[in-house]
Amino acid sequence: MSRAHRALLHLYPASFRREYGGEMSQLFERRLSQCPSGVGRMRLWIGEILDVLSNAASAHWDLLVHDLRYATRTLARTPGFALTAILVTALGVGANTAAFSVADFVMLRPLPFREPSRLVRLWESPPGYTTMELSPPNYRDWKEMSRSFETMGAFHGAAANLLGQGAPRRVQGSAVTSNLLPMLGVSPFIGRLFTSAEDADGIVLSHALWQDAFAGSHDVIGRTVVLDGAPRVVIGVMPPDFHFPSRAVEFWLPMPNDQLADDDRTNNWFEVVARLRPGVTVAQAQAEMSAIAANLERQYPVENEKIGANVYELKDGLSEQSKLLLIGLCAASLCILLIACANLANLLLARGLTRQRELVVRTALGAGRERLVRQLLTESLLLAGLGGALGVLVAVVSVPLLGRLVPNTLPLAQTPAVDIRILLFAALLTGATGIAFGVFPALRASHVTDVGALREGARGGGGRKARLRAALVVAEVMASVVLLVSAGLLMRALWRIQATDPGFRPDGVLTLQTALPSPRYDSVARREQFYNGVLNGVQALPGVSSAAYISFLPMAMGGGIWPVVFPGQSQTRAVSNVASLRFITPGFFKTLGIPLRRGRGVTESDRGDQPFVAVVSESFVKRYWPNENPIGHRFEFGFSERTVVGVVGDIMVRGLERSSEPQVYLPYGQVEDGSLIGYVPKDLAIRTTIPPATLLPAVREVVRSVDAEQPISSVRTMQQIVDEGVASREVQARVLAAFALIAFLLAGVGIHGLLSFAVSNRRHEFGVRMALGAESSAIVGMVMRQAVLLAAAGVLPGIVLAYAAGRGMQALLAGVLPGDPATFAAAVTLCVAMTLAGSMVPVLHAVRLEPATVFREE
């Protein structure tokens, strides 16, 4: 036989070569001798190669089918083992697939725009802030002076009341420059986008609003809709997967020319997106923008004092806390996978040892080691495949729950879809799990050539094999400690945040918005008439104790940051002094339960024809007039000079985790017509003694009686607003706690399995000891000693790794120490309890052994 033909025959399985290899070689040699010409020999070789490839594939397929059938029959005889292995694999694959789905969707996958890596966000950077919106004149200067960008566009929020499409409704929108949507490179679903000049009254709808309000009719193009009393012509509808700047946006309007021409450099309200020129990096653009900001500071030393510029990739809009949460989620899922794989490997190792009789018999009958390995590996892959399929179902169920970790501020859908990428990831993970943790047990189990194993039975597994299984259990315990401590630290942080006093009483307060359209309510008198009508009607409802309006509810919106200027102070110094501005109606402090410390609150007498006054927070007084009585002090704020008439307690404005800037509360009537339109009170707070939800229908009727075209939106209780501030933390803590519980249970299963197998292997030894007079307590001590050593070997390094993990996520701990003693003590206590629980059944089996029964079995 030629060397080439021998190489071809090696494509067949070994068993096939042994049985048919000789016949095939003889047949080929005879046919080859009958072909004297070179062309004939070449054709014969080509035909032989094709035949061998075809027949080898068929032979391998037949063998695979045979192995799968045998594996199925074998596993069916041990359903407990098979079910345990499948569930363990499903937990590991499912947890990692779900975590990868969310992390990939938020952090790795490119944004759904054209060449998203070239899209950047531009921010002003005043002292104390890394990101702040641009003022219109700074935006114009940046756009004109920069050379790093192909184009630059701006946008800002533009919520409005939509009329003429059923009941009045409040819709969230965005006003954009004409070049912004084309810059993103997304074509409209139907219609077109804005042009530079001819679409001043146009509107582009989101796909969701088009479906909801217009029933998905293609005749919507060219129709007129009414927004805040002004007619708008629909020119386009965006695709269903387009969400910019966030998924809350339902329409887009062209930015009015008067807003673009605004010359106030202290009024920051433009958000800016730019596209880098080809070949320009973010670092190069940052260097150029820093130079431009320094140049503008020299030109405008008052307005632009210490105003820098920051450039970030558009995909980097994720906060550091959100990044840490997702990274922690992925790390926790990897720990689950490690524990699951360790359990799977231990199961396969133990199963291989119990099958030594079978494997020796098969070896004696002529099965080679390659054949045994392939059969055992087929079983592990079958188990992994079934577990992986179940794991995908676990991931499909889990992904919508984890969708709450996707920040609302990103231009993404709320929930990642389980698409082909995720299925491929699950398939690769399943295959890697089955192969990586099935090969070694298969090799160990197939390394049986001593017929003496027929007599030893299942008493093998000592020495290196036992140490390997013990090492796997130690790894499980170590990972479970890390997860338990990490989950405990996050839970402690969550409890600490939830226990933070917000400075007001959120219980029993219903909130909603009645945002007034500026064309109809362009004067203070008209707004006052609306407020009085609504407040009088609401306060007359049964169960209502007080009600008031405010421009921005705490925690729902931070409020506008404005400079504070004191008499005799230079304007240059004034830009360093800031406070948050809120207009309120009388009774607001009583409604939210904000304590009055000095002076008085806002009253009905604080009208536009009276001296302008202000109520300030305690932090305002501590910062600007420490150790002084602030009543009667004057300062300039919000385009007017104000006199302090009262001091109230501080409240948590930007969430329970972030300190708030000083607050200034102004009477809603003390503002000029047409001024500070964005600060018109729109949030209604109602304190009630009855369940807040039961009050809503009556409040809706009151608003309708005052203005039939005024919609109600953003209906929530104040407690819901507070809870939403920690919602992502709560989801992360719960998910990590669930992962820790799974790891805890799996580690317990691992200890139980290892000790049960050890007791089974040592039945003869324990029988002899008990026959020679050993007490049951001595046998219990031997088993428990092994359990304690396993737990200690895993707990000690687990504590070190858990402390390192706590240091890594310290930004999420809200002041809780990474080495919090109570958390570590609880984790160690749980591990001790897990060890005791996992060893209980093996201990009972050990002490119930009958020496006579053991000897008869031997």
Side-chain angles (χ1 to χ4, degrees):
M1 185 194 307
S2 67
R3 183 179 302 174
H5 193 249
R6 258 197 313 269
L8 279 177
L9 287 179
H10 273 285
L11 291 171
Y12 287 92
S15 58
F16 190 92
R17 292 198 305 269
R18 285 195 297 268
E19 188 169 353
Y20 302 108
E23 296 179 13
M24 292 178 65
S25 298
Q26 293 174 9
L27 177 62
F28 178 69
E29 293 297 337
R30 284 199 305 269
R31 291 169 61 189
L32 191 63
S33 65
Q34 296 172 2
C35 296
S37 66
V39 174
R41 288 173 174 265
M42 180 62 67
R43 288 177 179 174
L44 180 61
W45 269 108
I46 294 175
E48 180 69 6
I49 290 173
L50 293 177
D51 285 345
V52 168
L53 290 175
S54 175
N55 293 332
S58 177
H60 279 289
W61 173 255
D62 292 341
L63 236 127
L64 176 62
V65 171
H66 176 270
D67 286 348
L68 284 173
R69 288 175 179 171
Y70 185 83
T72 303
R73 290 196 303 268
T74 303
L75 294 174
R77 290 196 293 268
T78 54
F81 162 79
L83 184 60
T84 302
I86 290 171
L87 290 178
V88 165
T89 306
L91 288 174
V93 172
N96 278 267
T97 302
F100 173 77
S101 299
V102 177
D104 169 69
F105 186 67
V106 175
M107 300 176 64
L108 303 179
R109 189 174 302 195
L111 294 176
F113 307 128
R114 176 174 60 87
E115 297 183 86
S117 60
R118 290 172 54 199
L119 292 173
V120 295
R121 287 290 297 267
L122 305 181
W123 302 93
E124 287 189 12
S125 178
Y129 297 87
T130 57
T131 58
M132 181 175 284
E133 295 83 357
L134 274 68
S135 64
N138 278 350
Y139 162 70
R140 295 196 301 270
D141 289 341
W142 285 17
K143 185 175 182 180
E144 180 181 353
M145 300 169 70
S146 62
R147 296 294 177 267
S148 296
F149 308 108
E150 193 175 86
T151 183
M152 185 185 298
F155 66 93
H156 63 77
N161 296 338
L162 175 65
L163 305 178
Q165 303 298 319
R169 60 192 296 173
R170 186 71 175 172
V171 287
Q172 301 298 318
S174 183
V176 300
T177 55
S178 60
N179 65 333
L180 191 138
L181 294 181
M183 180 200 309
L184 300 177
V186 179
S187 300
F189 185 72
I190 57 174
R192 59 182 178 83
L193 302 178
F194 303 116
T195 61
S196 57
E198 60 190 64
D199 295 316
D201 297 326
I203 181 174
V204 174
L205 305 177
S206 72
H207 194 275
L209 182 61
W210 174 56
Q211 291 285 343
D212 190 22
F214 301 92
S217 172
H218 285 252
D219 295 336
V220 71
I221 303 299
R223 286 174 56 178
T224 299
V225 299
V226 180
L227 283 182
D228 279 354
R232 295 277 180 177
V233 178
V234 178
I235 66 170
V237 175
M238 297 305 289
D241 58 348
F242 181 81
H243 307 277
F244 184 86
S246 71
R247 59 175 175 262
V249 173
E250 299 173 275
F251 68 87
W252 295 266
L253 301 175
M255 192 177 293
N257 290 329
D258 60 336
Q259 295 179 359
L260 290 168
D262 185 359
D263 289 327
D264 185 1
R265 291 186 184 270
T266 64
N267 190 11
N268 296 62
W269 59 308
F270 276 17
E271 298 189 63
V272 177
V273 175
R275 180 174 287 279
L276 294 169
R277 291 186 184 278
V280 177
T281 66
V282 174
Q284 291 170 335
Q286 177 65 70
E288 183 192 38
M289 294 312 302
S290 297
I292 291 174
N295 184 28
L296 290 177
E297 182 178 5
R298 289 190 292 270
Q299 293 183 47
Y300 307 99
V302 175
E303 299 91 338
N304 277 31
E305 180 190 11
K306 298 181 180 179
I307 300 296
N310 279 331
V311 182
Y312 299 109
E313 285 191 49
L314 185 60
K315 70 175 184 179
D316 289 340
L318 196 64
S319 68
E320 286 301 318
Q321 186 183 85
S322 296
K323 288 180 182 178
L324 279 175
L325 288 174
L326 291 173
I327 291 172
L329 177 67
C330 292
S333 66
L334 286 176
C335 285
I336 291 289
L337 182 63
L338 170 65
I339 295 173
C341 289
N343 262 329
L344 182 62
N346 249 334
L347 286 169
L348 293 174
L349 281 170
R351 179 173 172 79
L353 290 171
T354 60
R355 296 177 65 185
Q356 282 188 358
R357 290 176 182 269
E358 172 199 344
L359 298 177
V360 169
V361 170
R362 294 184 66 183
T363 301
L365 294 176
R369 193 180 182 202
E370 174 191 348
R371 184 74 184 85
L372 297 179
V373 169
R374 184 168 59 243
Q375 177 61 56
L376 294 173
L377 192 56
T378 300
E379 291 184 16
S380 67
L381 286 174
L382 178 61
L383 290 171
L386 294 173
L390 183 59
V392 171
L393 294 179
V394 172
V396 170
V397 174
S398 303
V399 164
L401 301 177
L402 298 181
R404 294 178 62 185
L405 294 174
V406 179
N408 293 326
T409 55
L410 294 180
L412 300 169
Q414 181 172 5
T415 305
V418 180
D419 55 15
I420 188 65
R421 287 164 55 93
I422 305 306
L423 294 178
L424 285 175
F425 174 82
L428 289 174
L429 192 62
T430 300
T433 301
I435 293 174
F437 292 89
V439 167
F440 186 73
L443 292 174
R444 298 290 300 184
S446 66
H447 192 63
V448 179
T449 58
D450 185 7
V451 181
L454 289 169
R455 296 187 299 271
E456 295 298 325
R459 269 193 286 146
R464 288 184 297 172
K465 299 178 183 179
R467 288 194 293 272
L468 174 61
R469 295 194 301 276
L472 291 172
V473 172
V474 168
E476 294 180 40
V477 175
M478 184 173 60
S480 65
V481 170
V482 174
L483 279 182
L484 285 171
V485 171
S486 299
L489 291 175
L490 279 183
M491 294 295 291
R492 287 289 298 269
L494 178 63
W495 295 336
R496 171 173 288 193
I497 293 168
Q498 291 175 333
T500 302
D501 182 9
F504 55 87
R505 292 189 294 112
D507 56 296
V509 177
L510 176 68
T511 73
L512 51 92
Q513 283 190 3
T514 57
L516 302 177
S518 55
R520 293 184 59 200
Y521 293 95
D522 56 351
S523 67
V524 175
R526 288 187 178 182
R527 295 195 294 268
E528 181 179 13
Q529 183 179 4
F530 177 85
Y531 296 145
N532 289 339
V534 172
L535 290 175
N536 290 336
V538 168
Q539 289 172 338
L541 296 175
V544 175
S545 55
S546 62
Y549 269 98
I550 186 172
S551 52
F552 306 110
L553 280 169
M555 298 194 182
M557 171 66 182
I561 306 298
W562 284 75
V564 179
V565 182
F566 299 102
Q569 186 181 63
S570 68
Q571 290 289 327
T572 302
R573 171 62 181 157
V575 296
S576 301
N577 300 332
V578 295
S580 181
L581 183 154
R582 281 174 165 78
F583 283 99
I584 61 173
T585 63
F588 176 76
F589 301 127
K590 175 185 176 183
T591 301
L592 248 65
I594 301 175
L596 182 67
R597 303 301 190 193
R598 287 189 180 184
R600 64 175 178 85
V602 171
T603 65
E604 295 289 352
S605 62
D606 296 322
R607 306 174 65 87
D609 56 355
Q610 298 297 314
F612 280 19
V613 299
V615 176
V616 299
S617 63
E618 286 183 294
S619 58
F620 188 99
V621 176
K622 291 176 182 177
R623 178 180 295 187
Y624 301 123
W625 300 305
N627 304 319
E628 294 184 41
N629 183 0
I631 305 300
H633 282 260
R634 302 179 67 81
F635 64 98
E636 185 178 331
F637 190 72
F639 304 134
S640 304
E641 190 173 53
R642 305 278 174 171
T643 301
V644 177
V645 296
V647 179
V648 294
D650 288 320
I651 62 174
M652 304 296 288
V653 171
R654 300 185 180 274
L656 296 176
E657 298 184 53
R658 295 179 58 187
S659 58
S660 305
E661 63 278 348
Q663 303 294 303
V664 176
Y665 304 92
L666 306 179
Y668 76 103
Q670 292 189 340
V671 63
E672 297 180 3
D673 289 348
S675 178
L676 295 172
I677 294 298
Y679 294 84
V680 171
K682 61 181 182 300
D683 290 310
L684 174 61
I686 307 168
R687 180 163 292 280
T688 173
T689 58
I690 62 176
T694 63
L695 196 64
L696 182 60
V699 174
R700 196 183 300 275
E701 287 300 320
V702 169
V703 174
R704 186 178 291 115
S705 67
V706 177
D707 185 346
E709 294 184 351
Q710 178 58 48
I712 286 177
S713 61
S714 300
V715 179
R716 295 173 292 178
T717 65
M718 199 66 218
Q719 188 61 56
Q720 285 176 319
I721 294 176
V722 173
D723 293 341
E724 286 172 4
V726 293
S728 62
R729 267 189 172 279
E730 189 172 356
V731 172
Q732 171 72 11
R734 287 180 177 178
V735 170
L736 198 58
F739 282 8
L741 178 61
I742 293 171
F744 174 76
L745 295 176
L746 288 178
V749 169
I751 288 179
H752 167 76
L754 180 64
L755 293 180
S756 295
F757 192 76
V759 169
S760 176
N761 281 340
R762 299 175 70 183
R763 284 170 58 85
H764 180 76
E765 174 192 347
F766 289 159
V768 171
R769 288 178 179 272
M770 296 176 72
L772 294 177
E775 298 289 339
S776 296
S777 58
I779 304 299
V780 170
M782 294 174 65
V783 178
M784 290 301 300
R785 189 178 304 113
Q786 185 178 3
V788 170
L789 288 175
L790 285 173
V795 166
L796 294 178
I799 288 175
V800 176
L801 291 176
Y803 179 75
R807 292 289 300 272
M809 62 180 188
Q810 194 163 5
L812 299 175
L813 299 185
V816 176
L817 296 176
D820 180 60
T823 303
F824 277 78
V828 172
T829 301
L830 284 173
C831 286
V832 171
M834 172 189 67
T835 302
L836 294 175
S839 59
M840 190 62 64
V841 173
V843 165
L844 292 176
H845 284 169
V847 298
R848 290 177 180 176
L849 287 176
E850 292 291 341
T853 303
V854 173
F855 294 150
R856 281 197 301 270
E857 291 176 357
E858 294 297 328

